Amino acid sequence: EMPLITVFCDTNIDPGEFLKRHPNAWAVLDRILFMDQVSYLESDEDITEMVDRFQDGVVLEMKEKLDLETIYELSELIVKPPSLITDRLLRMKCAQAIAEYRRQRQKLAKEGKIVGIVLPEISDRRVCFASQMVEVSAVLNGRTEAVIDDLNDVHYVLGTTDVERGIWAK
């Protein structure tokens, strides 16, 4: 038995365009926690470095490695109660910020000012994932209790574009 901890997906098809043709796929894409667009390398130096590494069989080695047991223990802090967000006011502020984010995002989307978004809206499921990001931030910062600064990292779950991330920052 092996617990599923992480899955990486990639596609050469714009998920937002795919959703326009297949709206029922929204339920699947909404379950992917982090989304981002990764572009091709552009500079001569970056492309040369990539080709050099490929030709030389060099792969990046992680400087620090975590064993599976440590990863499992860290994930237990986040996905199992009790929550690391013990301050009721912090939960309320998180909810208020997400509600305002939804409103601003919808407004800009209607005005055509958000281009290339993947997720047509922020579902209630994604809101719950976003609240977990507050806990992830706390753990990554060496704490077992979330603080207000941990709200800053919620954008990793809510936004897929720089515009969306900017809305969260405001």
Side-chain angles (χ1 to χ4, degrees), residues 101-114:
Y101 172 83
R102 279 175 158 172
R103 286 189 287 274
Q104 292 302 316
R105 192 176 178 280
Q106 289 169 349
K107 177 184 170 206
L108 291 174
K110 285 179 184 174
E111 295 170 359
K113 293 183 180 174
I114 296 182

PDB file of all heavy atoms in Angstrom, residues 101-114:
ATOM      1  N   TYR A 101     -11.984  38.395  -3.059  1.00  0.00           N
ATOM      2  CA  TYR A 101     -11.207  37.959  -4.225  1.00  0.00           C
ATOM      3  C   TYR A 101     -12.154  37.440  -5.318  1.00  0.00           C
ATOM      4  O   TYR A 101     -12.007  37.794  -6.478  1.00  0.00           O
ATOM      5  CB  TYR A 101     -10.220  36.866  -3.812  1.00  0.00           C
ATOM      6  CG  TYR A 101      -9.515  36.230  -4.983  1.00  0.00           C
ATOM      7  CD1 TYR A 101      -8.382  36.821  -5.548  1.00  0.00           C
ATOM      8  CD2 TYR A 101      -9.982  35.048  -5.549  1.00  0.00           C
ATOM      9  CE1 TYR A 101      -7.750  36.256  -6.629  1.00  0.00           C
ATOM     10  CE2 TYR A 101      -9.348  34.474  -6.622  1.00  0.00           C
ATOM     11  CZ  TYR A 101      -8.231  35.081  -7.165  1.00  0.00           C
ATOM     12  OH  TYR A 101      -7.613  34.511  -8.250  1.00  0.00           O
ATOM     13  N   ARG A 102     -13.117  36.601  -4.912  1.00  0.00           N
ATOM     14  CA  ARG A 102     -14.087  36.085  -5.884  1.00  0.00           C
ATOM     15  C   ARG A 102     -14.821  37.232  -6.585  1.00  0.00           C
ATOM     16  O   ARG A 102     -14.984  37.226  -7.793  1.00  0.00           O
ATOM     17  CB  ARG A 102     -15.121  35.185  -5.188  1.00  0.00           C
ATOM     18  CG  ARG A 102     -14.702  33.781  -4.930  1.00  0.00           C
ATOM     19  CD  ARG A 102     -15.802  33.083  -4.142  1.00  0.00           C
ATOM     20  NE  ARG A 102     -15.759  31.644  -4.268  1.00  0.00           N
ATOM     21  CZ  ARG A 102     -16.523  30.820  -3.559  1.00  0.00           C
ATOM     22  NH1 ARG A 102     -17.394  31.305  -2.684  1.00  0.00           N
ATOM     23  NH2 ARG A 102     -16.440  29.526  -3.725  1.00  0.00           N
ATOM     24  N   ARG A 103     -15.290  38.219  -5.794  1.00  0.00           N
ATOM     25  CA  ARG A 103     -16.031  39.343  -6.373  1.00  0.00           C
ATOM     26  C   ARG A 103     -15.158  40.134  -7.361  1.00  0.00           C
ATOM     27  O   ARG A 103     -15.595  40.441  -8.467  1.00  0.00           O
ATOM     28  CB  ARG A 103     -16.549  40.269  -5.268  1.00  0.00           C
ATOM     29  CG  ARG A 103     -17.733  39.716  -4.500  1.00  0.00           C
ATOM     30  CD  ARG A 103     -18.347  40.750  -3.560  1.00  0.00           C
ATOM     31  NE  ARG A 103     -17.517  41.023  -2.392  1.00  0.00           N
ATOM     32  CZ  ARG A 103     -17.539  40.312  -1.275  1.00  0.00           C
ATOM     33  NH1 ARG A 103     -18.352  39.277  -1.160  1.00  0.00           N
ATOM     34  NH2 ARG A 103     -16.755  40.639  -0.263  1.00  0.00           N
ATOM     35  N   GLN A 104     -13.939  40.456  -6.961  1.00  0.00           N
ATOM     36  CA  GLN A 104     -13.059  41.238  -7.832  1.00  0.00           C
ATOM     37  C   GLN A 104     -12.690  40.455  -9.092  1.00  0.00           C
ATOM     38  O   GLN A 104     -12.635  41.015 -10.187  1.00  0.00           O
ATOM     39  CB  GLN A 104     -11.787  41.649  -7.078  1.00  0.00           C
ATOM     40  CG  GLN A 104     -12.037  42.650  -5.977  1.00  0.00           C
ATOM     41  CD  GLN A 104     -12.687  43.922  -6.503  1.00  0.00           C
ATOM     42  OE1 GLN A 104     -12.298  44.468  -7.534  1.00  0.00           O
ATOM     43  NE2 GLN A 104     -13.703  44.398  -5.792  1.00  0.00           N
ATOM     44  N   ARG A 105     -12.459  39.195  -8.930  1.00  0.00           N
ATOM     45  CA  ARG A 105     -12.098  38.340 -10.063  1.00  0.00           C
ATOM     46  C   ARG A 105     -13.252  38.250 -11.066  1.00  0.00           C
ATOM     47  O   ARG A 105     -13.048  38.350 -12.271  1.00  0.00           O
ATOM     48  CB  ARG A 105     -11.739  36.958  -9.515  1.00  0.00           C
ATOM     49  CG  ARG A 105     -11.073  36.045 -10.479  1.00  0.00           C
ATOM     50  CD  ARG A 105     -10.723  34.762  -9.708  1.00  0.00           C
ATOM     51  NE  ARG A 105     -10.109  33.809 -10.563  1.00  0.00           N
ATOM     52  CZ  ARG A 105     -10.763  33.022 -11.404  1.00  0.00           C
ATOM     53  NH1 ARG A 105     -12.060  33.090 -11.485  1.00  0.00           N
ATOM     54  NH2 ARG A 105     -10.119  32.171 -12.176  1.00  0.00           N
ATOM     55  N   GLN A 106     -14.472  38.044 -10.563  1.00  0.00           N
ATOM     56  CA  GLN A 106     -15.643  37.978 -11.431  1.00  0.00           C
ATOM     57  C   GLN A 106     -15.848  39.296 -12.163  1.00  0.00           C
ATOM     58  O   GLN A 106     -16.164  39.311 -13.349  1.00  0.00           O
ATOM     59  CB  GLN A 106     -16.892  37.606 -10.627  1.00  0.00           C
ATOM     60  CG  GLN A 106     -16.903  36.172 -10.165  1.00  0.00           C
ATOM     61  CD  GLN A 106     -18.004  35.881  -9.154  1.00  0.00           C
ATOM     62  OE1 GLN A 106     -18.655  36.782  -8.638  1.00  0.00           O
ATOM     63  NE2 GLN A 106     -18.196  34.607  -8.847  1.00  0.00           N
ATOM     64  N   LYS A 107     -15.669  40.403 -11.453  1.00  0.00           N
ATOM     65  CA  LYS A 107     -15.832  41.727 -12.063  1.00  0.00           C
ATOM     66  C   LYS A 107     -14.838  41.916 -13.205  1.00  0.00           C
ATOM     67  O   LYS A 107     -15.218  42.316 -14.316  1.00  0.00           O
ATOM     68  CB  LYS A 107     -15.634  42.807 -10.988  1.00  0.00           C
ATOM     69  CG  LYS A 107     -15.708  44.219 -11.520  1.00  0.00           C
ATOM     70  CD  LYS A 107     -15.414  45.215 -10.412  1.00  0.00           C
ATOM     71  CE  LYS A 107     -15.255  46.589 -11.024  1.00  0.00           C
ATOM     72  NZ  LYS A 107     -14.426  47.456 -10.236  1.00  0.00           N
ATOM     73  N   LEU A 108     -13.570  41.624 -12.953  1.00  0.00           N
ATOM     74  CA  LEU A 108     -12.550  41.782 -13.989  1.00  0.00           C
ATOM     75  C   LEU A 108     -12.753  40.809 -15.155  1.00  0.00           C
ATOM     76  O   LEU A 108     -12.504  41.153 -16.307  1.00  0.00           O
ATOM     77  CB  LEU A 108     -11.146  41.620 -13.401  1.00  0.00           C
ATOM     78  CG  LEU A 108     -10.704  42.741 -12.472  1.00  0.00           C
ATOM     79  CD1 LEU A 108      -9.361  42.398 -11.824  1.00  0.00           C
ATOM     80  CD2 LEU A 108     -10.612  44.064 -13.209  1.00  0.00           C
ATOM     81  N   ALA A 109     -13.219  39.605 -14.846  1.00  0.00           N
ATOM     82  CA  ALA A 109     -13.477  38.621 -15.906  1.00  0.00           C
ATOM     83  C   ALA A 109     -14.603  39.108 -16.820  1.00  0.00           C
ATOM     84  O   ALA A 109     -14.514  38.984 -18.047  1.00  0.00           O
ATOM     85  CB  ALA A 109     -13.823  37.266 -15.303  1.00  0.00           C
ATOM     86  N   LYS A 110     -15.653  39.680 -16.239  1.00  0.00           N
ATOM     87  CA  LYS A 110     -16.767  40.212 -17.038  1.00  0.00           C
ATOM     88  C   LYS A 110     -16.326  41.374 -17.910  1.00  0.00           C
ATOM     89  O   LYS A 110     -16.828  41.578 -19.004  1.00  0.00           O
ATOM     90  CB  LYS A 110     -17.925  40.634 -16.134  1.00  0.00           C
ATOM     91  CG  LYS A 110     -18.702  39.473 -15.583  1.00  0.00           C
ATOM     92  CD  LYS A 110     -19.828  39.933 -14.678  1.00  0.00           C
ATOM     93  CE  LYS A 110     -20.519  38.730 -14.068  1.00  0.00           C
ATOM     94  NZ  LYS A 110     -21.516  39.102 -13.079  1.00  0.00           N
ATOM     95  N   GLU A 111     -15.363  42.152 -17.395  1.00  0.00           N
ATOM     96  CA  GLU A 111     -14.842  43.290 -18.151  1.00  0.00           C
ATOM     97  C   GLU A 111     -13.788  42.861 -19.174  1.00  0.00           C
ATOM     98  O   GLU A 111     -13.265  43.688 -19.907  1.00  0.00           O
ATOM     99  CB  GLU A 111     -14.227  44.317 -17.190  1.00  0.00           C
ATOM    100  CG  GLU A 111     -15.229  44.961 -16.257  1.00  0.00           C
ATOM    101  CD  GLU A 111     -14.570  45.790 -15.162  1.00  0.00           C
ATOM    102  OE1 GLU A 111     -13.313  45.843 -15.109  1.00  0.00           O
ATOM    103  OE2 GLU A 111     -15.305  46.395 -14.358  1.00  0.00           O
ATOM    104  N   GLY A 112     -13.458  41.567 -19.196  1.00  0.00           N
ATOM    105  CA  GLY A 112     -12.455  41.066 -20.129  1.00  0.00           C
ATOM    106  C   GLY A 112     -11.030  41.421 -19.739  1.00  0.00           C
ATOM    107  O   GLY A 112     -10.129  41.398 -20.580  1.00  0.00           O
ATOM    108  N   LYS A 113     -10.804  41.731 -18.464  1.00  0.00           N
ATOM    109  CA  LYS A 113      -9.473  42.153 -18.019  1.00  0.00           C
ATOM    110  C   LYS A 113      -8.628  41.008 -17.468  1.00  0.00           C
ATOM    111  O   LYS A 113      -7.472  41.204 -17.140  1.00  0.00           O
ATOM    112  CB  LYS A 113      -9.596  43.252 -16.967  1.00  0.00           C
ATOM    113  CG  LYS A 113     -10.165  44.538 -17.552  1.00  0.00           C
ATOM    114  CD  LYS A 113     -10.226  45.630 -16.534  1.00  0.00           C
ATOM    115  CE  LYS A 113     -10.789  46.898 -17.155  1.00  0.00           C
ATOM    116  NZ  LYS A 113     -10.996  47.947 -16.177  1.00  0.00           N
ATOM    117  N   ILE A 114      -9.211  39.829 -17.329  1.00  0.00           N
ATOM    118  CA  ILE A 114      -8.422  38.660 -16.936  1.00  0.00           C
ATOM    119  C   ILE A 114      -8.324  37.776 -18.168  1.00  0.00           C
ATOM    120  O   ILE A 114      -9.318  37.282 -18.667  1.00  0.00           O
ATOM    121  CB  ILE A 114      -9.061  37.883 -15.770  1.00  0.00           C
ATOM    122  CG1 ILE A 114      -9.103  38.733 -14.509  1.00  0.00           C
ATOM    123  CG2 ILE A 114      -8.287  36.607 -15.512  1.00  0.00           C
ATOM    124  CD1 ILE A 114      -9.668  38.029 -13.299  1.00  0.00           C
TER     125      ILE A 114
END
